[in-house]
Amino acid sequence: MNPIRHVASFLIALAAVVLAMPAAAGTPRIGFSSKTVGFQLVNTRNAGTFEYAVIYALDANGVVDMTIPVTVVSSDVSLMKVSPVQGNALGNYQLTVPANAANGEVTVTASATIAGKPVSRARNFTIVAATPPPPPPPSGTPTTARASVPTVVADQSGCASIQYYDVGPGQVFQSLGQLPWSLLKGCDTVRIHAKANNAPYNEMILISAGTNLAPTAPNKFMRVVGVPDPVTGARPIIDGTNATQLETLPGQAPRSLRYHDNNGGRALYRLGPVMVGPQLGYDYNFGPAGYIEIGNLDIRNAFYGVSFTDASTGMLGQYDAFASCIFVEAAAHLLVRNNLLHGCGNGLFINSKNSTVLELSQDVLVEGNQLYNNSNAPLTGVSNGFSEHNSYSEARDIIFQYNYFGDVRPGAFGDCLKDRSSGLIVRYNTFASTCGLFLNLVDSTGGQGLIWGDAGYAKTYVYGNLFDVTPGPQHYTNLIAYGGDSGMSVHYRQGTLFYYNNTLSVTGDAGNGIYPETLLFGLLMPTAVADVRNNVFQATPSTLGAPGKVQAMVYGTGTVNMKNNWVSPNAAQYWAGHLTGALVNGWSSNLGAGNNPKFMNAALHDFRTAAGSPLINQGDSLLDLDISLFPLYEPGSAGPRKQNGALDIGAFEY
């Protein structure tokens, strides 16, 4: 109960009622008067409440005499405490029922000596304990266990039954805020139905399945999935604009949009409409949130300046510049699939924290999403324009596949994919963007030793991707940076970047804009190696007859080993006019005569291999790689890659 409201009720108190047993004339007695509710009417009191009362003596003539001392005691202070009200007149008391009071009976007794006679009176109260929150679901497998293989599907095969929660028009739950999000667990499936006319859910949700509240198991995923419009196929929209969340369960206070930060117990928010993380007040004994799928949703509009309502206070707030369409505080065994993530500071953010496995994101699959129009343009005191991205991740074992990375927000310089992970695989994606860097692969800053000490940190795989680039005049074109940005160079990436069977096409005139070159491999440590095989590096001019942009294969200090690549005639080993400690080997193995790799229709962005292409059957066999890392599919929806003999160069097989 709100004590401020109770004080207000005291100020507009009911008239005092004398609560004394009938007595013969001339008999002194004790009187009780209530400042809140009449004792004689309601003797039941709830845990966590208090009220004011006046307790006084009456002389033999029945007249109140406040000069007579009265002693007031409770028979059980664990059920009701009695204390004089400081600063008020004699006889004013506060009767308090502790918030943790149990069910029971308590007696308040007042005693005095009046006209030489001992007198006492008592009132009995029935105390009702607070309704406890529902018990947590039974525990299962901790989320800290490392997956033997990365998550490839949100498997519910171990579920004896699946509890469905349907949200939307005509469904059991009309709004997202009506769902019991804090109790969802493995084998639960939330189905969010699209609204008519593409109307959005202007709400915010916190997904916490897999914390110590409800740890689940590898074959008992909790799923949050959209059900598209049956006519248009449009995904359900969760829009951060003017959004709020309010989940009120029996016996619980309204749930706020805040997650628990284990480092100091802080409660953080302002970070997006869909958040994944432990609930406020829960510890990390079973690791981070986990065994969760988020799929088939259109999540948008969480960026600096956009307002939302803080459910805990009812006040308006504004998103942080780092707000994300999906903000993952920490999650193990997470699948993010087939979503539209746009109009946010970050489209997707996946965090690891405090160098502890209990706050380590791991075993993550990001598949089939479209990420575009994210990042922030520079704004003094808010963002430098380079710190927010279409996707930003730090995890142990993470795969990005079949995703589409589009343009960042106008004026922004964020990356398509910035990552600090170990066990990183980037495959079968399409990058068609004005991103600052297509792949910015830097050092771990949150997971730290759990990531940079992991064997997967020394090997990064990028294969089967399409980079379809038309840079704007104010944008540089950098393919990959491989190293770090924390300043702790000892922990920078300095293993092997495997880059094979990708297709890069850059359309633009040489010297156009303030960034005239295309820079391909930025290797920031002398021990870093890029293993570059079977790729297409094409430079096509925007103006007929003009030269395309120069492609500088390496800058920095590492080594690029090349074999069986197709490169445009104006490609260069090094960045002209810049000192470098880098080295390129195998340049003579490249193909590229005539600057025509013979795509199906490059003007229509169809980069499949056409008949007579010099790319056909010219690739390296890749027999030194594990079969699980062989290019078996093509970017986007092109489907499985043909297995018809020798590999073709590039992301597509003829």
Side-chain angles (χ1 to χ4, degrees):
M1 178 175 290
N2 189 330
I4 297 177
R5 293 179 181 174
H6 221 113
V7 170
S9 66
F10 163 59
L11 297 176
I12 55 172
L14 299 174
V17 179
V18 175
L19 303 179
M21 298 296 292
T27 302
R29 55 195 187 276
I30 302 292
F32 287 78
S33 293
S34 174
K35 292 283 190 177
T36 51
V37 295
F39 286 166
Q40 86 290 5
L41 299 177
V42 181
N43 283 335
T44 299
R45 300 292 182 268
N46 295 320
T49 64
F50 72 89
E51 58 195 287
Y52 295 99
V54 179
I55 303 174
Y56 47 84
L58 291 89
D59 64 17
N61 298 315
V63 177
V64 174
D65 187 346
M66 300 299 291
T67 65
I68 299 175
V70 178
T71 301
V72 185
V73 296
S74 168
S75 64
D76 189 341
V77 294
S78 70
L79 297 178
M80 180 176 283
K81 299 177 181 178
V82 180
S83 54
V85 177
Q86 299 297 321
N88 288 318
L90 183 66
N92 284 271
Y93 291 86
Q94 179 175 315
L95 312 182
T96 303
V97 182
N100 61 351
N103 292 320
E105 303 289 331
V106 63
T107 300
V108 174
T109 302
S111 304
T113 299
I114 306 173
K117 298 180 180 180
V119 177
S120 66
R121 288 290 184 267
R123 295 300 302 175
N124 297 321
F125 296 90
T126 299
I127 305 302
V128 178
T131 303
S139 297
T141 303
T143 57
T144 53
R146 186 166 188 169
S148 57
V149 295
T151 293
V152 294
V153 65
D155 188 1
Q156 292 182 318
S157 62
C159 300
S161 63
I162 299 174
Q163 176 67 53
Y164 291 99
Y165 296 84
D166 286 285
V167 187
Q171 304 299 325
V172 174
F173 300 97
Q174 298 293 306
S175 66
L176 298 175
Q178 293 177 356
L179 264 73
W181 291 98
S182 59
L183 299 182
L184 296 182
K185 59 190 183 302
C187 298
D188 289 343
T189 296
V190 176
R191 297 185 293 203
I192 302 172
H193 295 258
K195 292 185 178 182
N197 301 316
N198 253 13
Y201 293 88
N202 293 106
E203 299 182 73
M204 305 162 75
I205 60 177
L206 174 61
I207 302 171
S208 300
T211 63
N212 65 305
L213 175 70
T216 52
N219 59 351
K220 296 181 180 180
F221 264 70
M222 193 275 276
R223 305 177 67 218
V224 179
V225 294
V227 179
D229 184 284
V231 177
T232 66
R235 298 170 177 84
I237 297 171
I238 298 179
D239 193 323
T241 306
N242 297 320
T244 188
Q245 179 211 30
L246 186 64
E247 174 200 332
T248 304
L249 298 173
Q252 294 184 334
R255 186 166 179 245
S256 67
L257 287 182
R258 299 165 185 253
Y259 65 77
H260 181 212
D261 177 1
N262 201 34
N263 185 16
R266 296 170 296 171
L268 307 178
Y269 70 129
R270 301 176 60 207
L271 295 171
V274 176
M275 295 183 288
V276 179
Q279 301 169 49
L280 179 63
Y282 288 91
D283 63 34
Y284 286 68
N285 290 336
F286 282 89
Y291 304 108
I292 295 168
E293 177 191 5
I294 303 172
N296 217 35
L297 296 168
D298 181 338
I299 307 171
R300 58 175 68 173
N301 296 336
F303 59 93
Y304 181 80
V306 174
S307 297
F308 66 91
T309 298
D310 184 344
S312 65
T313 65
M315 304 294 289
L316 284 178
Q318 285 191 341
Y319 291 109
D320 189 87
F322 205 77
S324 307
C325 295
I326 298 179
F327 188 101
V328 180
E329 168 63 2
H333 320 299
L334 173 69
L335 173 59
V336 180
R337 178 165 58 190
N338 197 33
N339 301 286
L340 305 182
L341 306 176
H342 58 111
C344 299
N346 296 291
L348 172 65
F349 177 71
I350 299 174
N351 199 15
S352 290
K353 299 175 61 178
N354 300 323
S355 194
T356 169
V357 71
L358 299 178
E359 297 174 83
L360 178 72
S361 289
Q362 61 175 313
D363 182 27
V364 178
L365 177 61
V366 182
E367 178 181 87
N369 304 281
Q370 297 181 42
L371 304 97
Y372 58 94
N373 199 36
N374 301 298
S375 189
N376 293 301
L379 182 62
T380 302
V382 176
S383 174
N384 61 11
F386 293 88
S387 298
E388 299 84 33
H389 315 282
N390 271 335
S391 181
Y392 191 0
S393 51
E394 182 170 359
R396 188 175 67 184
D397 301 329
I398 184 169
I399 297 174
F400 292 85
Q401 61 185 22
Y402 310 116
N403 301 288
Y404 174 88
F405 293 86
D407 288 343
V408 291
R409 189 188 304 276
F413 296 92
D415 304 324
C416 282
L417 194 163
K418 183 171 184 176
D419 182 82
R420 300 182 182 275
S421 303
S422 63
L424 172 64
I425 298 174
V426 181
R427 62 190 180 192
Y428 317 135
N429 303 281
T430 297
F431 297 84
S433 179
T434 55
C435 295
L437 272 162
F438 293 100
L439 300 177
N440 191 6
L441 311 181
V442 289
D443 56 321
S444 172
T445 56
Q448 298 187 20
L450 294 171
I451 290 179
W452 69 54
D454 184 55
Y457 192 62
K459 294 182 179 181
T460 300
Y461 295 88
V462 179
Y463 63 93
N465 302 282
L466 171 63
F467 297 88
D468 179 9
V469 184
T470 305
Q474 300 301 313
H475 281 78
Y476 53 82
T477 308
N478 282 17
L479 178 63
I480 297 179
Y482 183 83
D485 61 5
S486 71
M488 297 179 63
S489 59
V490 66
H491 297 307
Y492 282 13
R493 296 178 188 264
Q494 44 195 310
T496 301
L497 167 64
F498 293 90
Y499 182 91
Y500 52 96
N501 283 100
N502 301 282
T503 295
L504 168 69
S505 176
V506 180
T507 303
D509 294 343
N512 183 38
I514 58 177
Y515 302 104
E517 301 95 353
T518 299
L519 306 180
L520 298 181
F521 296 96
L523 305 179
L524 306 186
M525 295 295 290
T527 52
V529 175
D531 183 333
V532 180
R533 288 181 272 177
N534 300 352
N535 303 286
V536 175
F537 299 99
Q538 186 195 34
T540 302
S542 300
T543 305
L544 185 64
K549 283 184 175 292
V550 173
Q551 296 181 340
M553 193 58 57
V554 67
Y555 63 98
T557 60
T559 300
V560 173
N561 294 322
M562 304 189 71
K563 187 177 182 181
N564 293 59
N565 300 280
W566 190 98
V567 299
S568 286
N570 62 344
Q573 296 182 65
Y574 305 104
W575 189 7
H578 293 78
L579 295 176
T580 180
L583 177 65
V584 176
N585 296 317
W587 186 259
S588 61
S589 72
N590 294 323
L591 297 76
N595 199 30
N596 184 9
K598 291 191 178 180
F599 297 131
M600 291 290 286
N601 194 331
L604 296 179
H605 304 278
D606 185 348
F607 295 95
R608 290 177 297 165
T609 307
S613 169
L615 308 178
I616 297 174
N617 295 332
Q618 296 302 307
D620 179 76
S621 65
L622 305 178
L623 292 179
D624 57 316
L625 298 180
D626 188 279
I627 189 63
S628 66
L629 298 168
F630 199 81
L632 299 177
Y633 293 87
E634 296 184 338
S637 58
R641 182 172 179 137
K642 295 176 184 177
Q643 304 298 313
N644 54 2
L647 271 174
D648 293 355
I649 292 175
F652 301 91
E653 190 81 14
Y654 178 72

